[in-house]
Amino acid sequence: MTLREVNSENQQSQSGQPSHDRSALAQALTPALTVLISLVGLFLLWSLAATMWPSRAFPNPGQVWQVLVKDTVSGELPYHLGVTLARVAASFVLAMTIGSVIGIALGTYRRADQFFNAWVILFLNVPALVIIVLAYIWFGLNEVAAIGAVAVNKIPNVVVTMREGARALDPRYREMAQVYRFSALDRVRHILLPQLQPYFAAASRSGIALIWKIVLVVELLGRSNGVGFQIYLYFQLFDVAAILAYTLTFVAIMLLIELLLVQPFERHATRWRRRPA
Amino acid sequence: MQPVGAVAPLRVDIAEKTFRSAQGVSVTALKDLSFEVRHGEFACLLGPSGCGKTTTLRILLGLEKDFTGSFRLPGGEHNRVAAVFQEPTLLPWRTVEENIRLALPKSLRQTDLDSLFQTLGLSTMRSLYPSELSLGLARRVALARAFATEPAVLFLDEPFVSLDEQTAERLRYLLLSVWSARPTTALMVTHNVREALMLSDRIIVLSPRPGHVRGVFDVRLPRQYRNPQVMSDLGRSFREKFADVL
């Protein structure tokens, strides 16, 4: 390090110190505040529209809230929500694990990729509904068929993303690891996974959104509990307020998972990247 | 008590190394390349660009398997090799210290690195990430990583390329001081004559492609006597001997 570099670093740390706390707090709050204001805006727009065109098929937020509270107190909503979340989690873990292994293998071995590429394209384009129906016919109306069908729908997407990731692996790091005789475990932990992290994050982001939508369809078609089943039930009763109550609660939970789990994990995994000054 | 293999030289006998391009054209990079680096000696592999210097190193590092001939690394059972690549090749997602410790064998993982960090001026940078370092500093970390492994033989592939001359010179002195504290058989690739004359005990000069040994230049003078005057004399006699290569 040259003397000039040392000096500039000292200056940075000196000038950065006093205002550090306040600006950090403001920085942390601004995104949350923006989201809050934008959600309040949407809520106001909805109330306004519901008052202008009153209809049983278009309840105002108050009515939805009433259903939400009633079903929460009765324990019905938490039960169905829990069941659906468990299915989402199981299919997600299954799809990410199997998809990553296949994707990395295809990205690493060209011959295998040339052979299986057609399969990947085929599975990418089979409609979710077909897979679900076939799974129920072949394996019966049970939990394994439901979770398996959702996972099979997601796996090709994970494969495609992780295959790109494996193709983009930097050979220099592999060679460095070879020269310094890294153990197999160290290679996976310190060379492979950090390079694949952005692809893994992309796959899980799009994965969670896709999976929970498909889980609802699976529940609608062949399960007797879960948010999808409830929505189908209320569809038959034409109870839009209940449909919205279930949907909004689930969306809120997914948002919380994103904010409290996915984003902090990503921040931790990318802490080494140079922050914009 | 040193094991018998530890004082063995680095012996290289590469009969031929050919590259096949994507269009099917084959290019012979190396032909009948043989030389030896004695135990504890610092040797430089010098030659015009494209003569197969880096290829030679890659073969010795075990990164190129497709060649005819053989080589023997010194060190017997303990034949750890270390390399400083053209680029620092630090893992961006690990700190300076983690980068160095990860390269160490399990038995050395907890070893005390203080004096090494001290010598290379890295003591205050242990917990920084590579993206926070200048290229010169990243190169120092790469040097620290190589020496920390206590290798039986050290390979350096133009470790000071694309640095400004002042920084490069500073790093050459740092390399010399670390190397004299932990002497090990070393082979460095360079195309900089001055650098080779300053650092090495002997310079192995390669011909243009296909690379083979054009001649060997021994620098018998101890390094502390290589002042600017002596260096320019050495340079002159080197250029007289190898006028056709450079």
Side-chain angles (χ1 to χ4, degrees), chain A residues 108-178:
Chain A
T108 317
Y109 303 103
R110 253 176 67 109
R111 298 291 291 275
D113 185 37
Q114 283 166 346
F115 184 81
F116 287 111
N117 190 29
W119 294 29
V120 174
I121 295 172
L122 180 86
F123 275 96
L124 264 177
N125 287 292
V126 175
L129 193 61
V130 173
I131 293 177
I132 297 165
V133 169
L134 286 180
Y136 278 146
I137 294 175
W138 289 338
F139 304 107
L141 291 174
N142 55 48
E143 208 62 52
V144 176
I147 291 170
V150 179
V152 168
N153 268 301
K154 177 57 193 164
I155 286 172
N157 296 66
V158 182
V159 167
V160 170
T161 313
M162 296 311 283
R163 184 173 61 183
E164 282 316 309
R167 281 178 185 157
L169 290 176
D170 192 332
R172 289 175 310 163
Y173 297 130
R174 198 194 61 229
E175 291 178 346
M176 190 276 289
Q178 195 183 330

Side-chain angles (χ1 to χ4, degrees), chain A residues 2-16:
Chain A
T2 63
L3 202 61
R4 195 155 11 108
E5 279 173 274
V6 176
N7 278 340
S8 73
E9 250 172 44
N10 283 344
Q11 274 165 11
Q12 254 175 18
S13 59
Q14 277 163 11
S15 63

Side-chain angles (χ1 to χ4, degrees), chain A residues 1 172 175 180 190 274, chain B residues 58 83 87 93-94 131 140:
Chain A
M1 181 180 272
R172 289 175 310 163
E175 291 178 346
Y180 286 107
H190 303 292
R274 194 194 284 271
Chain B
R58 288 179 58 83
E87 286 150 79
W93 39 85
R94 295 287 177 264
S131 65
R140 284 195 221 177

Side-chain angles (χ1 to χ4, degrees), chain A:
Chain A
M1 181 180 272
T2 63
L3 202 61
R4 195 155 11 108
E5 279 173 274
V6 176
N7 278 340
S8 73
E9 250 172 44
N10 283 344
Q11 274 165 11
Q12 254 175 18
S13 59
Q14 277 163 11
S15 63
Q17 215 52 53
S19 63
H20 185 259
D21 291 345
R22 200 156 30 108
S23 70
L25 193 70
Q27 240 171 19
L29 280 181
T30 315
L33 217 64
T34 316
V35 170
L36 196 71
I37 291 170
S38 110
L39 285 180
V40 168
L42 186 66
F43 177 81
L44 288 177
L45 203 68
W46 175 12
S47 318
L48 194 73
T51 353
M52 282 168 74
W53 300 284
S55 150
R56 187 173 136 67
F58 190 26
N60 64 39
Q63 288 164 305
V64 174
W65 178 251
Q66 273 166 13
V67 178
L68 205 155
V69 171
K70 193 187 90 216
D71 275 24
T72 308
V73 171
S74 74
E76 210 176 334
L77 184 104
Y79 167 68
H80 291 291
L81 216 58
V83 169
T84 299
L85 271 176
R87 284 186 190 128
V88 169
S91 341
F92 177 78
V93 171
L94 204 64
M96 288 305 288
T97 315
I98 298 176
S100 299
V101 171
I102 299 177
I104 294 169
L106 293 190
T108 317
Y109 303 103
R110 253 176 67 109
R111 298 291 291 275
D113 185 37
Q114 283 166 346
F115 184 81
F116 287 111
N117 190 29
W119 294 29
V120 174
I121 295 172
L122 180 86
F123 275 96
L124 264 177
N125 287 292
V126 175
L129 193 61
V130 173
I131 293 177
I132 297 165
V133 169
L134 286 180
Y136 278 146
I137 294 175
W138 289 338
F139 304 107
L141 291 174
N142 55 48
E143 208 62 52
V144 176
I147 291 170
V150 179
V152 168
N153 268 301
K154 177 57 193 164
I155 286 172
N157 296 66
V158 182
V159 167
V160 170
T161 313
M162 296 311 283
R163 184 173 61 183
E164 282 316 309
R167 281 178 185 157
L169 290 176
D170 192 332
R172 289 175 310 163
Y173 297 130
R174 198 194 61 229
E175 291 178 346
M176 190 276 289
Q178 195 183 330
V179 167
Y180 286 107
R181 299 181 192 167
F182 279 37
S183 66
L185 187 69
D186 277 352
R187 279 177 210 222
V188 172
R189 256 187 74 194
H190 303 292
I191 310 277
L192 189 66
L193 290 183
Q195 286 188 84
L196 291 176
Q197 188 275 328
Y199 297 89
F200 203 75
S204 25
R205 274 274 169 71
S206 65
I208 274 204
L210 184 73
I211 279 176
W212 95 262
K213 288 169 195 167
I214 300 176
V215 165
L216 293 203
V217 180
V218 168
E219 289 173 343
L220 182 150
L221 284 177
R223 306 305 305 145
S224 52
N225 51 20
V227 176
F229 171 78
Q230 285 298 96
I231 286 177
Y232 185 55
L233 183 75
Y234 288 120
F235 164 61
Q236 286 167 330
L237 301 173
F238 249 65
D239 188 345
V240 178
I243 293 175
L244 288 178
Y246 273 89
T247 314
L248 289 180
T249 319
F250 204 84
V251 170
I253 286 182
M254 297 313 276
L255 203 70
L256 277 181
I257 291 178
E258 165 83 22
L259 286 176
L260 300 181
L261 240 64
V262 178
Q263 285 187 8
F265 174 76
E266 220 173 300
R267 264 199 299 279
H268 176 76
T270 57
R271 66 198 178 284
W272 52 273
R273 281 186 210 279
R274 194 194 284 271
R275 302 262 169 264

